[in-house]
Amino acid sequence: MPEIPDLEAIRHYLMPRLEGRTVTTTFAPIPWLIRTGAEDLGSLQGHEFGEIHRLGKFLLFFVDDGRILIVNPMLTGRFHWVEAGAKKPGMLGVVIGFDDGHELRYSDQRRMGRWYLIAGPEELKTVPQMEKLGPDVMTLDEDQFVALMKKRRGQVKASITNQEVFAGIGNAYSDEILWTAGIHPHRRGATLAEEDWRRLFQAVRSVLEESIGIVDETVQGEGLGRKEEWRQHMKVHRRAGEPCPRCGSEIRGQTRGGSETNYCVTCQPLFE
Ligand SMILES: [Zn+2]
C-alpha cells in the first residue's frame, strides 16, 4: 500500500504536468471505483486541474470550479501519465485525457481503490474514512505528537498506524520508524516514557523526510506506472532473515492478518 513517501513522489511528479491543463475526455472502464458516481467523471470535461494535495493516504486533485477529486489508491492503485495512444495497462480503471494529448490513467490490480468527487473542502468529512481521519502526521510538531501518543496504552505499532490518531503511516514505514527509534513494535504505550515518544517523533520525521527524497528521485527518473510503492531503500521492512544493518542480528518477521512486521530483537528489545 502506498504510504507518504510514495504519494508525495506521485504528487510531485504529477503536479507540474497537470496544473493548468484542461480535461478533454474521461472514461471509467471500472465505473464502481468512482464512489460518487461514474457520471461525475464526465462533468470534469472542460475544467482545469489545479494543485494536488495529500492528506494521509489520500491524494486530492483540485479542480478550477472548487471541486476536489479524491483518490485513495488502497493496496494496488497505480497512476500512469502517458500519451493518449500508449499501450493500456491491465485492470485500467479510470482515464482522464488532457488538452496536451496526455492521459492520467489509473489501474488497480485488486480494484480496491476509491475515487470521490466532492463539491469542495466542506464535504471532505462526507468521504468514508476521512470522517474520522486524524491530522496528517507531517503537520504535527513534537509536542503535539507526544500529547497524542501519551494517551495510547496499546501496542505502539498499532497506535502509529491507526489513521484516527494521525494519518499517513502504514505497515511498511512503521517498521522503519520503530527500528530507527529502537522501539519494539509490540511494546505497549503504557511502558514507554516521554523520552521514548520524543525519540519516536524524531524517527518519524527523519525516516519520512529521507524517504520522500529517495522515492522522489526514483520517480523523477523512472516515471510512474511501474510501481505503486517504492521499497528498495528500506532497512528492515520485508528483510526477515537478513542481518540488521545496525547490529548484525537477524531481522525477525511476524505475519498477522496478512501484513508482516519486521524488527531487530537486539536493537528493539521488548522489555526494558
Ligand atoms: Zn539490530
Side-chain angles (χ1 to χ4, degrees), residues 227-245:
K227 290 182 181 156
E228 66 280 354
E229 53 182 45
W230 290 267
R231 301 283 187 255
Q232 307 90 314
H233 59 287
M234 293 200 150
K235 297 188 172 81
V236 290
H237 184 68
R238 290 189 196 150
R239 297 202 183 278
E242 294 183 26
C244 165

Side-chain angles (χ1 to χ4, degrees), residues 23-28 34 37-47 67 69 94-96 117:
V23 176
T24 52
T25 57
T26 57
F27 177 44
I34 302 161
E39 64 281 4
D40 268 8
L41 198 65
S43 70
L44 289 173
Q45 290 181 29
H47 287 283
R67 290 185 293 169
L69 184 63
V94 180
V95 181
I96 303 176
L117 186 62

Side-chain angles (χ1 to χ4, degrees), residues 179 244-249 264-268:
W179 177 81
C244 165
R246 192 191 286 131
C247 75
S249 301
C264 168
V265 280
T266 307
C267 295
Q268 299 164 265

